[in-house]
């Protein structure tokens, strides 16, 4: 048993939202009890005690949309790549990178991403992967790294026709094989979705093949109207809006995630709501790609389940939260807008999205919930409780304040040191693979 105590506990459980000197007792993969440090120490004298050192104990963060494939891109400049629109960003940067990813490159991307996630207190990721350099086995390679390093994940491969019929077939087969594997394995640490890149690189025939290969096993995870490409392609080639295209192709539903949804009309939002489809927005990435601001406030009004991701722009969910709040206010020209929406996306809706895939409750500290718990090194100098925790997090905390990360009851990171993960070896492997990748992209040695 693990007993994490001597901290201020924010549970996100309305029954016991805050304990000023609290502790969390974890048995195996779940939380057994939340209570005062003294009481739980007395009750579980044999438990391994982990000292939060006065920090804030809280549920680990859930990132509802990220991309492991970008794991080796930090600091990379691709010579001659100077994108002036979103399609050029994809063609010059991301598609270029993922065409050079082998299974080893994918493994290194996964290791780099997971290392950063654990350090930033992210305990669950919904990943959307692409490695057109080597597709077969890529999701299984990521699974191996996730299991070894200890993160909870839901994976998919992005089907796209951009590299021809054979790669399209391979990407469909990779999703289907991995979904079958996860179904058989039935682990609460690893789930599968059926990925699609975006509507403008997928024909109706391919959608039909995806639905057939999926055979009702899981939901879809696809980018939707991130740039205007989807909107224009759907209108010109299919005579309808993007979400309508997804609807008639059988892609929408309660287990499907639509990434971004920037250029969606009110009628498309109604369709998303009526089919109980999920949306995940990634504000920092949207600003970085200059694609616009998603109508998040409107989607809340419509009752859509909308969560928060990072699109791998960062692994720090608090950075994404800050960006969501400020872009929504800026866009609405309203300084009091978006607070409940932005915090609701990260702290409530990401947990609800998690619940559509994982059996154990995530994003909450209470008996029976997943033992995914973090500690943030945060010293307040103003009143602090569950009533104003979101304000403290928005203006006072960042991901790197995480000092301790426990996932599925396994202590992975303690007092800013990795436990059981040889960080130097992981970094060396990532460096070796990134030199290889960068060398191929720029035709020179690093
Ligand atoms: Zn994305």
């Amino acid at each position: 048993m693990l007993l994490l105590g001597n901290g201020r506990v924010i549970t996100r459980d309305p029954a016991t939202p805050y304990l000023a000197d609290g502790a969390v007792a974890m048995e195996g993969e779940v939380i057994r009890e939340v209570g005062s440090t003294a009481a739980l120490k007395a009750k579980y004298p044999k438990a391994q005690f982990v000292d939060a050192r006065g920090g804030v104990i809280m549920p680990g963060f859930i990132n509802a949309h990220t991309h492991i494939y970008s794991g080796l891109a930090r600091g990379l400049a691709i010579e001659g790549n100077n994108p002036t629109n979103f399609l050029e960003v994809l063609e010059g940067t991301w598609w270029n990178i993922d065409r050079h990813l082998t299974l080893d490159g994918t493994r290194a991307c996964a290791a780099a991403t997971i290392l950063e996630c654990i350090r930033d207190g992210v305990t669950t990721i919904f990943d959307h992967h692409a490695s057109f350099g080597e597709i077969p086995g890529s999701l299984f390679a990521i699974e191996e790294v996730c299991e070894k390093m200890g993160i909870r994940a839901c994976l998919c491969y992005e089907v796209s026709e951009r590299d021809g019929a054979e790669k399209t077939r391979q990407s469909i087969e990779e999703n289907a094989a991995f979904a079958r594997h996860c179904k058989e394995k039935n682990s609460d640490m690893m789930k599968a979705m059926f990925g699609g890149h975006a509507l403008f690189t997928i024909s109706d025939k391919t959608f039909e093949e995806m639905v057939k290969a999926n055979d009702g096993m899981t939901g879809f995870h696809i980018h939707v109207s991130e740039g205007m490409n989807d909107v224009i392609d759907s209108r010109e080639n299919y005579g309808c809006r993007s979400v309508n295209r997804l609807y008639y192709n059988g892609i929408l539903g309660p287990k499907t995630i639509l990434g971004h949804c920037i250029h969606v009309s009110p009628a498309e939002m109604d369709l998303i709501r009526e089919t109980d489809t999920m949306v995940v927005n990634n504000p920092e990435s949207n600003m970085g790609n200059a694609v616009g601001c998603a109508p998040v406030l409107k989607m809340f009004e419509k009752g859509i389940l909308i969560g928060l991701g990072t699109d791998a722009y960062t692994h720090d969910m608090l950075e994404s939260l800050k960006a969501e709040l400020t872009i929504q206010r800026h866009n609405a020209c309203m300084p009091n807008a978006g607070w409940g929406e932005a915090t609701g996306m990260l702290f409530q809706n990401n947990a609800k999205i998690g619940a559509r895939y994982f059996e154990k409750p995530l994003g909450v500290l209470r008996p029976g919930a997943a033992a995914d718990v973090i500690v943030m090194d945060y010293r307040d100098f103003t009143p602090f409780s569950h009533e104003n925790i979101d304000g403290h997090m928005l203006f006072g905390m960042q991901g790197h304040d995480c000092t301790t990360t426990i996932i599925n009851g396994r202590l992975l990171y303690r007092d800013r040191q990795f436990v059981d993960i040889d960080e130097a070896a992981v970094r060396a492997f990532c460096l070796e693979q990134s030199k290889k990748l960068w060398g191929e992209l720029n035709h020179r040695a690093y």
Side-chain angles (χ1 to χ4, degrees):
M1 175 179 267
L2 264 185
L3 182 60
L4 172 64
N6 191 21
R8 288 159 290 163
V9 182
I10 294 288
T11 65
R12 302 282 172 190
D13 175 14
T16 325
Y18 179 59
L19 289 102
D21 180 9
V24 181
M26 290 160 264
E27 177 97 81
E29 300 171 354
V30 296
I31 292 170
R32 182 191 268 197
E33 196 170 347
V34 181
S36 78
T37 302
L40 294 192
K41 260 187 158 178
K43 192 168 176 183
Y44 305 109
K46 290 184 181 161
Q48 181 193 350
F49 187 73
V50 180
D51 193 344
R53 303 178 198 285
V56 181
I57 299 172
M58 59 173 67
F61 294 109
I62 299 162
N63 186 346
H65 181 83
T66 190
H67 294 289
I68 275 172
Y69 67 70
S70 70
L72 302 182
R74 192 171 296 175
L76 166 68
I78 301 173
E79 281 153 31
N81 178 37
N82 186 23
T84 61
N85 58 50
F86 179 54
L87 186 60
E88 287 177 16
V89 171
L90 294 177
E91 286 175 337
T93 309
W94 304 117
W95 295 354
N96 196 2
I97 286 173
D98 83 48
R99 278 182 189 125
H100 290 87
L101 283 182
T102 58
L103 287 188
D104 267 346
T106 292
R107 284 187 189 97
C109 285
T113 299
I114 296 166
L115 208 61
E116 293 278 287
C117 286
I118 293 171
R119 204 180 57 157
D120 282 344
V122 175
T123 53
T124 301
I125 55 170
F126 282 76
D127 193 73
H128 194 274
H129 180 65
S131 53
F132 281 81
E134 195 167 6
I135 298 170
S138 55
L139 295 181
F140 294 85
I142 294 172
E143 180 196 29
E144 240 174 71
V145 182
C146 289
E147 281 183 352
K148 200 169 166 211
M149 296 178 76
I151 202 162
R152 198 181 298 276
C154 181
L155 309 179
C156 71
Y157 190 93
E158 61 164 63
V159 173
S160 168
E161 289 169 42
R162 64 180 145 93
D163 279 1
E166 177 55 18
K167 294 282 183 184
T168 307
R169 189 195 63 74
Q170 285 180 9
S171 57
I172 291 172
E173 182 43 38
E174 184 65 10
N175 277 301
F178 193 70
R180 275 194 299 273
H181 165 72
C182 285
K183 208 175 163 196
E184 280 163 24
K185 196 170 167 183
N186 194 26
S187 161
D188 211 23
M189 286 298 284
M190 185 57 59
K191 300 292 177 188
M193 295 182 82
F194 206 108
H197 166 245
L199 290 101
F200 77 96
T201 70
I202 304 175
S203 65
D204 281 354
K205 181 173 161 286
T206 294
F207 271 132
E208 197 182 323
E209 282 165 12
M210 287 164 66
V211 170
K212 195 170 155 219
N214 184 42
D215 194 23
M217 282 187 287
T218 188
F220 295 89
H221 190 172
I222 180 169
H223 296 111
V224 178
S225 300
E226 181 176 1
M228 282 299 286
N229 313 70
D230 278 344
V231 182
I232 294 162
D233 175 68
S234 291
R235 191 185 61 207
E236 289 186 354
N237 298 318
Y238 304 92
C240 64
R241 300 282 302 195
S242 308
V243 177
N244 297 71
R245 239 198 107 202
L246 293 173
Y247 180 65
Y248 77 67
N249 277 295
I251 302 298
L252 302 182
K255 296 208 82 171
T256 287
I257 289 178
L258 311 183
H260 303 293
C261 286
I262 291 164
H263 308 286
V264 288
S265 69
E268 286 178 290
M269 290 182 218
D270 289 339
L271 199 46
I272 294 170
R273 175 65 195 102
E274 279 161 28
T275 52
D276 198 16
T277 304
M278 301 176 277
V279 170
V280 174
N281 186 236
N282 310 275
E284 231 179 346
S285 161
N286 299 157
M287 286 189 274
N289 288 330
V291 289
C293 171
V296 164
L297 306 183
K298 184 56 80 180
M299 284 194 260
F300 263 86
E301 271 175 36
K302 297 264 187 193
I304 293 168
L305 177 57
I306 173 165
L308 189 67
T310 62
D311 216 18
Y313 201 90
T314 173
H315 302 295
D316 179 353
M317 292 310 295
L318 293 177
E319 189 175 314
S320 193
L321 175 68
K322 288 163 195 177
E324 188 68 80
L325 180 66
T326 46
I327 190 178
Q328 291 303 329
R329 286 186 169 177
H330 181 79
N331 189 55
C333 299
M334 192 60 83
N336 68 355
W339 183 278
E341 288 85 352
T343 56
M345 287 164 80
L346 179 55
F347 300 118
Q348 279 98 48
N349 291 358
N350 280 10
K352 288 181 188 165
I353 289 169
R356 291 196 182 181
Y357 276 89
F358 298 92
E359 285 93 55
K360 287 189 278 296
L362 306 177
V364 63
L365 304 183
R366 63 171 158 81
D372 294 2
V373 192
I374 61 169
V375 178
M376 302 294 274
D377 177 21
Y378 180 66
R379 315 282 149 176
D380 55 70
F381 46 83
T382 55
F384 177 100
S385 78
H386 63 286
E387 289 178 349
N388 66 354
I389 178 63
D390 294 343
H392 282 281
M393 293 186 83
L394 264 159
F395 299 113
M397 291 187 197
Q398 53 183 350
H400 286 15
D401 292 333
C402 177
T403 62
T404 296
T405 304
I406 296 166
I407 305 180
N408 205 36
R410 188 173 158 202
L411 184 59
L412 300 173
Y413 188 63
R414 182 179 193 173
D415 297 329
R416 290 202 160 93
Q417 296 296 319
F418 287 95
V419 183
D420 291 340
I421 294 172
D422 184 344
E423 189 187 353
V426 170
R427 290 194 185 285
F429 175 56
C430 293
L431 181 62
E432 172 203 314
Q433 288 298 318
S434 52
K435 281 181 176 175
K436 182 172 169 282
L437 175 69
W438 293 21
E440 285 173 15
L441 288 166
N442 281 334
H443 310 289
R444 68 177 171 96
Y446 282 87

